[in-house]
């Protein structure tokens, strides 16, 4: 759809919902649609208990849910991706090097390697982060038990990334529903079938083979191609994504993940589009000047 078609559809849906659109900006209409509430944030999930009638739930994230962003960014013309991402981090964060160190990002990374790492950041902030914040909110409830699942079976069908290496967005659902079992390689079958039995058994009986997740007693299941692995508090607390959680809280407290998502991830993805690339020009210029000063100081 073109931008004009998107706007027409947006106005049509707003009118259907009873929102007055005449003489109002798109921003005003959007605010009316969400009732001015910050419900579409990880902060909201972190502070919100589930409905009282919800007795249990599974919160699941794949280890490379950022694959959609990879697909979008790969279709853009921007180059020197690691430098662009690093410049944005230095401009937007108090501790930029901490984020770069977690993901081993450096200017020496070529664009392919950099994009894979950046989309792992996208995954850990926007998907794993969302799951964790939802679990934090649910942990405040005495009525709801929440379990964590991390899906880590590499997608055998992808043509964009290496096959069977990245557990991509929606492949967890596709594997669960089983529409392509006849095309699935033997190497994936043990884990996929166990994953399927796990969900079916839970839906049928409510039973789940790990403890409820709590902030001080984390637990979960890791779905891999050869089966299911139990994750204890130590393994989860020492994970890469947990390091990101600590950094997010240092950067913005409870709002840290939303801050990282808006200021770093979305800004990076947005400015890869030529329509918005100018918004990053000053940031890149300041970063280049910073590098030049650093080189001069080293030479002197």
């Amino acid at each position: 759809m073109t931008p004009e078609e998107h706007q027409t559809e947006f106005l049509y849906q707003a009118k259907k919902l009873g929102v007055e659109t005449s003489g109002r900006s798109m921003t005003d209409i959007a605010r009316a649609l969400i009732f001015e509430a910050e419900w579409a944030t990880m902060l909201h999930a972190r502070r919100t208990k589930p409905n009282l009638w919800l007795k249990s739930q599974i919160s699941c994230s794949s280890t490379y849910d950022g694959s959609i962003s990879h697909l979008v960014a790969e279709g853009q013309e921007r180059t020197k991706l690691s430098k662009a991402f690093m410049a944005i981090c230095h401009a937007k964060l108090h501790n930029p090097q901490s984020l770069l160190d977690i993901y081993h990002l450096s200017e020496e990374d070529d664009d392919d390697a950099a994009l894979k790492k950046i989309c792992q950041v996208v995954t850990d902030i926007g998907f794993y982060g969302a799951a964790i914040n939802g679990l934090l909110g649910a942990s405040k409830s005495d009525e709801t038990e929440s379990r964590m699942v991390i899906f880590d079976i590499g997608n055998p069908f992808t043509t964009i990334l290496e096959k069977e290496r990245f557990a991509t967005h929606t492949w967890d659902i596709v594997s669960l529903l089983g529409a392509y079992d006849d095309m699935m390689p033997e190497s994936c079958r043990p884990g996929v079938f166990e994953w399927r039995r796990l969900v079916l058994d839970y839906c049928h009986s409510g039973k789940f083979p790990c403890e409820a997740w709590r902030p001080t007693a984390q637990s979960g299941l890791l779905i891999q191609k050869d089966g299911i692995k139990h994750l204890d508090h130590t393994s989860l607390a020492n994970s890469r994504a947990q390091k990101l959680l600590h950094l997010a809280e240092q950067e913005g407290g409870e709002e840290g993940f939303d801050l990282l998502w808006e200021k770093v991830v979305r800004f990076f993805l947005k400015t890869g589009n030529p329509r918005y690339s100018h918004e990053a020009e000053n940031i890149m210029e300041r970063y280049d000047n910073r590098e030049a000063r650093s080189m001069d100081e080293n030479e002197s």
Side-chain angles (χ1 to χ4, degrees):
M1 293 175 71
T2 65
E4 292 75 19
E5 289 171 332
H6 275 293
Q7 181 169 317
T8 300
E9 177 65 17
F10 175 74
L11 291 172
Y12 172 73
Q13 295 297 336
K15 289 176 182 176
K16 280 181 62 177
L17 293 169
V19 174
E20 179 59 47
T21 60
S22 60
R24 302 180 72 180
S25 69
M26 293 297 107
T27 301
D28 285 341
I29 296 169
R31 285 175 176 161
L33 281 169
I34 62 172
F35 309 106
E36 300 290 345
E38 294 296 328
W39 60 269
T41 65
M42 286 179 264
L43 175 64
H44 178 78
R46 188 182 186 122
R47 292 179 173 176
T48 304
K49 294 181 182 180
N51 287 311
L52 294 175
W53 50 261
L54 183 63
K55 300 304 179 185
S56 68
Q57 64 177 351
I58 299 173
S59 183
C60 181
S61 174
S62 292
T63 52
Y64 207 72
D65 270 319
S67 58
I68 296 298
S69 296
H70 186 286
L71 183 64
V72 172
E74 194 173 58
Q76 296 171 340
E77 296 179 359
R78 179 164 56 180
T79 58
K80 299 181 179 178
L81 299 180
S82 61
K83 185 175 182 179
F85 189 80
M86 291 171 71
I88 290 168
C89 288
H90 278 277
K92 303 286 187 178
L93 300 179
H94 299 300
N95 305 295
Q97 197 58 46
S98 296
L99 178 63
L100 301 174
D101 287 346
I102 291 172
Y103 294 90
H104 307 291
L105 259 163
S106 72
E107 285 193 35
E108 283 68 46
D109 291 325
D110 61 34
D111 283 346
D112 181 63
L115 185 56
K116 287 186 174 69
K117 293 178 182 180
I118 291 166
C119 289
Q120 189 65 66
V121 180
V122 174
T123 294
D124 292 349
I125 294 175
F127 293 87
Y128 183 84
I132 287 294
N133 279 283
L135 288 167
L136 286 167
S139 69
K140 298 176 174 66
S141 169
D142 294 327
E143 288 77 23
T144 305
E145 288 191 340
S146 301
R147 269 82 175 195
M148 168 186 273
V149 173
I150 300 174
F151 183 84
D152 191 35
I153 300 177
N155 186 342
F157 301 117
T158 178
T159 57
I160 304 299
L161 296 156
E162 295 95 317
K163 292 183 185 296
E164 297 189 54
R165 179 179 170 190
F166 295 92
T168 58
H169 187 61
T170 72
W171 159 234
D172 53 345
I173 304 302
V174 170
S175 66
L176 181 65
L177 298 177
Y180 301 100
D181 280 3
D182 59 319
M183 299 167 60
M184 187 169 59
E186 288 293 333
S187 58
C188 295
R189 291 174 181 267
V192 167
F193 292 159
E194 277 200 56
W195 158 236
R196 199 173 293 167
R197 282 194 294 271
L198 177 77
V199 174
L200 289 173
D201 287 347
Y202 171 74
C203 292
H204 177 70
S205 67
K207 295 179 180 178
F208 202 75
C210 81
E211 297 297 318
W213 187 96
R214 292 288 174 186
T216 56
Q218 297 182 47
S219 61
L221 298 179
L222 181 67
I223 315 299
Q224 297 180 305
K225 65 180 183 179
D226 55 353
I228 296 176
K229 176 182 177 182
H230 285 256
L231 300 172
D232 59 16
H233 181 82
T234 301
S235 61
L236 286 167
N238 293 327
S239 67
R240 177 194 65 237
Q242 194 69 22
K243 293 176 184 177
L244 181 67
L245 172 63
H246 293 319
L247 175 61
E249 291 177 340
Q250 290 171 14
E251 289 288 336
E254 288 188 320
E255 297 180 80
F257 270 112
D258 290 307
L259 182 148
L260 292 175
W261 181 256
E262 291 293 331
K263 289 191 173 183
V264 177
V265 171
R266 288 193 67 184
F267 189 82
F268 172 82
L269 296 172
K270 174 186 175 183
T271 52
N273 185 323
R275 293 178 62 195
Y276 305 105
S277 59
H278 65 278
E279 296 183 24
E281 288 175 1
N282 290 339
I283 288 175
M284 293 300 295
E285 185 177 344
R286 290 199 302 272
Y287 186 73
D288 286 338
N289 291 338
R290 173 183 174 276
E291 285 190 313
R293 286 195 301 274
S294 178
M295 290 176 62
D296 290 343
E297 290 169 2
N298 289 336
E299 288 175 0
S300 61

